Amino acid sequence: MMRVGSDRTLVAILQHKSLFFQLMDFVQHSLNNPSLEFTISDYQKLLARTAEGMDSGKRRTFLNTLGLENLNQNGLLSYLDRRSGRFRLQQFVLDMLRHLDSKRLRELSSAELNQLLKQLEECERQLSDSNIIWLDDNPDFQEMVESAHNTLNEVNARLQSNVRALKGQASHLAELVDRQDYTRLERSEQVGFALNEILRIHERHVTPMLQFLDERLDISRAAHSTKSELHGSQSPMALVQKIINRFYEHRKGDHVTRLQRVQFHILRLGEEVAAIAKSLETYVRYARQERQRYNRTEELYNSLLTAVQEKQQGQLRDFLLKPEHPVFEPSRVFGNFKNFSRTLASNINWPAEQGTDALDEVLRVRLERTPKVLQDNHSKPGKPRSEEEMLKRTTINRIMKAMERFEYDVQQDDIYTVLHEHLCAQMQSYGLPNLVDALAFLGAHGKVEIVSPPRFNKLVYQGQQLSYRLRSYTPKGQKEPVRQAVNVVKSIEMQEREAP
């Protein structure tokens, strides 16, 4: 068998992704195998079934490319054990396949969030080591910097994938509940399963994610007051801020800027997770009410069953429950019970035609009120398709409106502070993350540069803190030599003021 290159093999996997989706679904749902370990026989059957409609040349190329030997030679298999007849794809291949379908993305569990928390704690501990020499040419410092960037980028990537998974699952389950059919028992069972899944996702994934992204979360205090799924001495976002502060304290401005960029992206995920929690709130409340009703029904049934069993002692008399029995107390709201016996009971007037007229009428009215589902679900281009997108567009529109009144023709020495004060006065519901979006509007009117010599400053607003290197803003109309001369004069004046 001729070996096929890794690039062509990956392209073949993407072209035949449905084959691997079938394999993943079979393992997850039929075998209950969360590790996604596949059997060789199942994979060979799917390969043969997929290659049935191909001609001989394409079939040979297809089987050579996606054969287990070729996958293993190209490093796409984590292991291949022919004695047990099992193999597993590399994790990056599984993640790539899941990325193609948001409904197949797996949500981060509380245990995985705690693993990310431990990574942040270890990164912060390494940066706090007094033996580290903060010099750019020091090998220990270079390895530590690379480790810090890798840790924050990995946390950001895992959290972004988690948000996509939560969006896909929440949208799918909410659609399943909204399209319930009152006349089919199978659909009712699916709705019940969907409600249980929504409740599980809200409790096991959405709530821990909100706690992970909470900047002001006190884990030790939250553990006593409310149930917290995180286990550690500090909140994750507080650790991220401490990691950035270590670089800020040692005047590593470039690293501070890069790490803050990752931090802002992580903090923005909190708004998306909050929107997911808000969209599921109605279903969660309904699911909890359904669970309470089911538990109450089961409790009443068990008490009635126990009372009947206690009454059955093998006697021919006195084996029926009396209407005044305490087990019937919760049903008194329906009126008094009548004890029907064989000798005294009158005939019961059952409704004609199997007694389904009233039920049929109720179902008819409800079905008429149910909105019809359109066959074509394609949304019109240009219009927002979700509340998150609408909220994001609304925020951008408010920033654009506020920036219309900004003085672009005036030079500024600290553009961050000036822009922050302008947005505080002109924009409603302003937050520090909006400052980064507003900076993009300055590029068309002037130039933003880091001041020389480098200086640092910080902004504190509504409980959030932004540390940054000072940047100046120069309008397009001002000439470059004039601006450089002004900067030189200001630098000399500053040095004279700092001199004793």
PDB file of all heavy atoms in Angstrom, residues 179-198:
ATOM      1  N   ARG A 179     -41.227  22.961  19.641  1.00  0.00           N
ATOM      2  CA  ARG A 179     -41.982  22.263  18.601  1.00  0.00           C
ATOM      3  C   ARG A 179     -42.710  21.033  19.133  1.00  0.00           C
ATOM      4  O   ARG A 179     -42.941  20.084  18.410  1.00  0.00           O
ATOM      5  CB  ARG A 179     -41.037  21.837  17.474  1.00  0.00           C
ATOM      6  CG  ARG A 179     -40.440  23.007  16.716  1.00  0.00           C
ATOM      7  CD  ARG A 179     -39.597  22.505  15.554  1.00  0.00           C
ATOM      8  NE  ARG A 179     -39.016  23.606  14.799  1.00  0.00           N
ATOM      9  CZ  ARG A 179     -38.258  23.456  13.717  1.00  0.00           C
ATOM     10  NH1 ARG A 179     -37.997  22.246  13.275  1.00  0.00           N
ATOM     11  NH2 ARG A 179     -37.760  24.500  13.087  1.00  0.00           N
ATOM     12  N   GLN A 180     -43.049  21.036  20.405  1.00  0.00           N
ATOM     13  CA  GLN A 180     -43.693  19.861  20.982  1.00  0.00           C
ATOM     14  C   GLN A 180     -45.077  19.639  20.364  1.00  0.00           C
ATOM     15  O   GLN A 180     -45.782  20.578  20.009  1.00  0.00           O
ATOM     16  CB  GLN A 180     -43.808  20.020  22.495  1.00  0.00           C
ATOM     17  CG  GLN A 180     -44.606  21.225  22.952  1.00  0.00           C
ATOM     18  CD  GLN A 180     -44.675  21.287  24.452  1.00  0.00           C
ATOM     19  OE1 GLN A 180     -44.896  20.286  25.091  1.00  0.00           O
ATOM     20  NE2 GLN A 180     -44.481  22.465  25.012  1.00  0.00           N
ATOM     21  N   ASP A 181     -45.432  18.374  20.244  1.00  0.00           N
ATOM     22  CA  ASP A 181     -46.704  17.939  19.671  1.00  0.00           C
ATOM     23  C   ASP A 181     -47.519  17.276  20.772  1.00  0.00           C
ATOM     24  O   ASP A 181     -47.120  16.261  21.343  1.00  0.00           O
ATOM     25  CB  ASP A 181     -46.440  16.945  18.529  1.00  0.00           C
ATOM     26  CG  ASP A 181     -47.721  16.644  17.748  1.00  0.00           C
ATOM     27  OD1 ASP A 181     -48.800  17.023  18.228  1.00  0.00           O
ATOM     28  OD2 ASP A 181     -47.623  16.035  16.665  1.00  0.00           O
ATOM     29  N   TYR A 182     -48.685  17.856  21.070  1.00  0.00           N
ATOM     30  CA  TYR A 182     -49.496  17.353  22.184  1.00  0.00           C
ATOM     31  C   TYR A 182     -50.183  16.029  21.852  1.00  0.00           C
ATOM     32  O   TYR A 182     -50.702  15.360  22.744  1.00  0.00           O
ATOM     33  CB  TYR A 182     -50.566  18.376  22.569  1.00  0.00           C
ATOM     34  CG  TYR A 182     -49.990  19.679  23.068  1.00  0.00           C
ATOM     35  CD1 TYR A 182     -49.799  20.753  22.196  1.00  0.00           C
ATOM     36  CD2 TYR A 182     -49.631  19.837  24.388  1.00  0.00           C
ATOM     37  CE1 TYR A 182     -49.266  21.949  22.644  1.00  0.00           C
ATOM     38  CE2 TYR A 182     -49.103  21.033  24.851  1.00  0.00           C
ATOM     39  CZ  TYR A 182     -48.919  22.082  23.977  1.00  0.00           C
ATOM     40  OH  TYR A 182     -48.402  23.250  24.425  1.00  0.00           O
ATOM     41  N   THR A 183     -50.253  15.648  20.589  1.00  0.00           N
ATOM     42  CA  THR A 183     -51.023  14.465  20.206  1.00  0.00           C
ATOM     43  C   THR A 183     -50.169  13.218  20.073  1.00  0.00           C
ATOM     44  O   THR A 183     -50.700  12.145  19.841  1.00  0.00           O
ATOM     45  CB  THR A 183     -51.717  14.726  18.857  1.00  0.00           C
ATOM     46  OG1 THR A 183     -50.721  14.975  17.857  1.00  0.00           O
ATOM     47  CG2 THR A 183     -52.664  15.910  18.967  1.00  0.00           C
ATOM     48  N   ARG A 184     -48.845  13.337  20.219  1.00  0.00           N
ATOM     49  CA  ARG A 184     -47.964  12.187  20.030  1.00  0.00           C
ATOM     50  C   ARG A 184     -47.181  11.938  21.312  1.00  0.00           C
ATOM     51  O   ARG A 184     -46.498  12.824  21.834  1.00  0.00           O
ATOM     52  CB  ARG A 184     -46.998  12.435  18.870  1.00  0.00           C
ATOM     53  CG  ARG A 184     -47.688  12.563  17.519  1.00  0.00           C
ATOM     54  CD  ARG A 184     -46.692  12.955  16.451  1.00  0.00           C
ATOM     55  NE  ARG A 184     -45.603  11.997  16.365  1.00  0.00           N
ATOM     56  CZ  ARG A 184     -44.513  12.194  15.630  1.00  0.00           C
ATOM     57  NH1 ARG A 184     -44.384  13.322  14.932  1.00  0.00           N
ATOM     58  NH2 ARG A 184     -43.559  11.299  15.586  1.00  0.00           N
ATOM     59  N   LEU A 185     -47.289  10.715  21.824  1.00  0.00           N
ATOM     60  CA  LEU A 185     -46.597  10.355  23.056  1.00  0.00           C
ATOM     61  C   LEU A 185     -45.083  10.364  22.852  1.00  0.00           C
ATOM     62  O   LEU A 185     -44.334  10.756  23.757  1.00  0.00           O
ATOM     63  CB  LEU A 185     -47.059   8.965  23.520  1.00  0.00           C
ATOM     64  CG  LEU A 185     -46.418   8.437  24.813  1.00  0.00           C
ATOM     65  CD1 LEU A 185     -46.726   9.368  25.970  1.00  0.00           C
ATOM     66  CD2 LEU A 185     -46.909   7.022  25.099  1.00  0.00           C
ATOM     67  N   GLU A 186     -44.629   9.982  21.651  1.00  0.00           N
ATOM     68  CA  GLU A 186     -43.194   9.956  21.390  1.00  0.00           C
ATOM     69  C   GLU A 186     -42.597  11.352  21.499  1.00  0.00           C
ATOM     70  O   GLU A 186     -41.535  11.543  22.084  1.00  0.00           O
ATOM     71  CB  GLU A 186     -42.948   9.377  20.003  1.00  0.00           C
ATOM     72  CG  GLU A 186     -41.469   9.292  19.636  1.00  0.00           C
ATOM     73  CD  GLU A 186     -41.256   8.799  18.220  1.00  0.00           C
ATOM     74  OE1 GLU A 186     -42.274   8.509  17.553  1.00  0.00           O
ATOM     75  OE2 GLU A 186     -40.101   8.705  17.799  1.00  0.00           O
ATOM     76  N   ARG A 187     -43.293  12.340  20.942  1.00  0.00           N
ATOM     77  CA  ARG A 187     -42.804  13.718  21.030  1.00  0.00           C
ATOM     78  C   ARG A 187     -42.823  14.209  22.468  1.00  0.00           C
ATOM     79  O   ARG A 187     -41.943  14.954  22.890  1.00  0.00           O
ATOM     80  CB  ARG A 187     -43.661  14.617  20.153  1.00  0.00           C
ATOM     81  CG  ARG A 187     -43.474  14.406  18.677  1.00  0.00           C
ATOM     82  CD  ARG A 187     -42.129  14.923  18.225  1.00  0.00           C
ATOM     83  NE  ARG A 187     -42.012  16.349  18.424  1.00  0.00           N
ATOM     84  CZ  ARG A 187     -40.863  17.027  18.432  1.00  0.00           C
ATOM     85  NH1 ARG A 187     -39.731  16.376  18.294  1.00  0.00           N
ATOM     86  NH2 ARG A 187     -40.839  18.331  18.606  1.00  0.00           N
ATOM     87  N   SER A 188     -43.819  13.828  23.234  1.00  0.00           N
ATOM     88  CA  SER A 188     -43.878  14.233  24.639  1.00  0.00           C
ATOM     89  C   SER A 188     -42.689  13.687  25.408  1.00  0.00           C
ATOM     90  O   SER A 188     -42.102  14.375  26.254  1.00  0.00           O
ATOM     91  CB  SER A 188     -45.185  13.754  25.273  1.00  0.00           C
ATOM     92  OG  SER A 188     -46.300  14.310  24.604  1.00  0.00           O
ATOM     93  N   GLU A 189     -42.287  12.448  25.111  1.00  0.00           N
ATOM     94  CA  GLU A 189     -41.121  11.873  25.764  1.00  0.00           C
ATOM     95  C   GLU A 189     -39.844  12.605  25.347  1.00  0.00           C
ATOM     96  O   GLU A 189     -38.944  12.822  26.172  1.00  0.00           O
ATOM     97  CB  GLU A 189     -41.015  10.391  25.416  1.00  0.00           C
ATOM     98  CG  GLU A 189     -42.146   9.546  26.003  1.00  0.00           C
ATOM     99  CD  GLU A 189     -42.057   8.092  25.566  1.00  0.00           C
ATOM    100  OE1 GLU A 189     -41.223   7.807  24.674  1.00  0.00           O
ATOM    101  OE2 GLU A 189     -42.806   7.271  26.114  1.00  0.00           O
ATOM    102  N   GLN A 190     -39.761  13.012  24.084  1.00  0.00           N
ATOM    103  CA  GLN A 190     -38.602  13.779  23.640  1.00  0.00           C
ATOM    104  C   GLN A 190     -38.527  15.129  24.339  1.00  0.00           C
ATOM    105  O   GLN A 190     -37.449  15.593  24.710  1.00  0.00           O
ATOM    106  CB  GLN A 190     -38.660  13.977  22.124  1.00  0.00           C
ATOM    107  CG  GLN A 190     -38.434  12.704  21.327  1.00  0.00           C
ATOM    108  CD  GLN A 190     -38.529  12.945  19.832  1.00  0.00           C
ATOM    109  OE1 GLN A 190     -38.818  14.065  19.394  1.00  0.00           O
ATOM    110  NE2 GLN A 190     -38.307  11.902  19.042  1.00  0.00           N
ATOM    111  N   VAL A 191     -39.676  15.768  24.524  1.00  0.00           N
ATOM    112  CA  VAL A 191     -39.704  17.055  25.221  1.00  0.00           C
ATOM    113  C   VAL A 191     -39.268  16.875  26.671  1.00  0.00           C
ATOM    114  O   VAL A 191     -38.514  17.695  27.217  1.00  0.00           O
ATOM    115  CB  VAL A 191     -41.115  17.679  25.143  1.00  0.00           C
ATOM    116  CG1 VAL A 191     -41.222  18.891  26.061  1.00  0.00           C
ATOM    117  CG2 VAL A 191     -41.425  18.091  23.710  1.00  0.00           C
ATOM    118  N   GLY A 192     -39.743  15.796  27.308  1.00  0.00           N
ATOM    119  CA  GLY A 192     -39.308  15.535  28.674  1.00  0.00           C
ATOM    120  C   GLY A 192     -37.811  15.326  28.768  1.00  0.00           C
ATOM    121  O   GLY A 192     -37.155  15.848  29.688  1.00  0.00           O
ATOM    122  N   PHE A 193     -37.244  14.581  27.801  1.00  0.00           N
ATOM    123  CA  PHE A 193     -35.787  14.393  27.768  1.00  0.00           C
ATOM    124  C   PHE A 193     -35.067  15.723  27.541  1.00  0.00           C
ATOM    125  O   PHE A 193     -34.031  16.003  28.170  1.00  0.00           O
ATOM    126  CB  PHE A 193     -35.437  13.398  26.659  1.00  0.00           C
ATOM    127  CG  PHE A 193     -33.961  13.297  26.387  1.00  0.00           C
ATOM    128  CD1 PHE A 193     -33.137  12.577  27.230  1.00  0.00           C
ATOM    129  CD2 PHE A 193     -33.401  13.927  25.282  1.00  0.00           C
ATOM    130  CE1 PHE A 193     -31.781  12.484  26.983  1.00  0.00           C
ATOM    131  CE2 PHE A 193     -32.041  13.841  25.031  1.00  0.00           C
ATOM    132  CZ  PHE A 193     -31.227  13.105  25.884  1.00  0.00           C
ATOM    133  N   ALA A 194     -35.605  16.554  26.642  1.00  0.00           N
ATOM    134  CA  ALA A 194     -34.973  17.854  26.358  1.00  0.00           C
ATOM    135  C   ALA A 194     -34.997  18.748  27.589  1.00  0.00           C
ATOM    136  O   ALA A 194     -34.015  19.447  27.882  1.00  0.00           O
ATOM    137  CB  ALA A 194     -35.685  18.540  25.190  1.00  0.00           C
ATOM    138  N   LEU A 195     -36.100  18.749  28.335  1.00  0.00           N
ATOM    139  CA  LEU A 195     -36.171  19.575  29.548  1.00  0.00           C
ATOM    140  C   LEU A 195     -35.160  19.104  30.591  1.00  0.00           C
ATOM    141  O   LEU A 195     -34.520  19.926  31.266  1.00  0.00           O
ATOM    142  CB  LEU A 195     -37.592  19.535  30.119  1.00  0.00           C
ATOM    143  CG  LEU A 195     -38.662  20.288  29.326  1.00  0.00           C
ATOM    144  CD1 LEU A 195     -40.034  20.050  29.915  1.00  0.00           C
ATOM    145  CD2 LEU A 195     -38.353  21.787  29.276  1.00  0.00           C
ATOM    146  N   ASN A 196     -35.010  17.794  30.733  1.00  0.00           N
ATOM    147  CA  ASN A 196     -34.010  17.281  31.673  1.00  0.00           C
ATOM    148  C   ASN A 196     -32.600  17.666  31.232  1.00  0.00           C
ATOM    149  O   ASN A 196     -31.739  17.999  32.074  1.00  0.00           O
ATOM    150  CB  ASN A 196     -34.136  15.759  31.781  1.00  0.00           C
ATOM    151  CG  ASN A 196     -35.406  15.332  32.489  1.00  0.00           C
ATOM    152  OD1 ASN A 196     -35.948  16.080  33.312  1.00  0.00           O
ATOM    153  ND2 ASN A 196     -35.902  14.156  32.161  1.00  0.00           N
ATOM    154  N   GLU A 197     -32.350  17.634  29.916  1.00  0.00           N
ATOM    155  CA  GLU A 197     -31.040  18.027  29.411  1.00  0.00           C
ATOM    156  C   GLU A 197     -30.776  19.514  29.627  1.00  0.00           C
ATOM    157  O   GLU A 197     -29.668  19.917  29.971  1.00  0.00           O
ATOM    158  CB  GLU A 197     -30.929  17.688  27.924  1.00  0.00           C
ATOM    159  CG  GLU A 197     -30.621  16.237  27.638  1.00  0.00           C
ATOM    160  CD  GLU A 197     -29.248  15.844  28.145  1.00  0.00           C
ATOM    161  OE1 GLU A 197     -28.246  16.418  27.673  1.00  0.00           O
ATOM    162  OE2 GLU A 197     -29.176  14.975  29.030  1.00  0.00           O
ATOM    163  N   ILE A 198     -31.803  20.341  29.430  1.00  0.00           N
ATOM    164  CA  ILE A 198     -31.650  21.774  29.664  1.00  0.00           C
ATOM    165  C   ILE A 198     -31.320  22.034  31.128  1.00  0.00           C
ATOM    166  O   ILE A 198     -30.444  22.856  31.459  1.00  0.00           O
ATOM    167  CB  ILE A 198     -32.931  22.519  29.250  1.00  0.00           C
ATOM    168  CG1 ILE A 198     -33.052  22.553  27.719  1.00  0.00           C
ATOM    169  CG2 ILE A 198     -32.950  23.942  29.800  1.00  0.00           C
ATOM    170  CD1 ILE A 198     -34.341  23.163  27.220  1.00  0.00           C
TER     171      ILE A 198
END
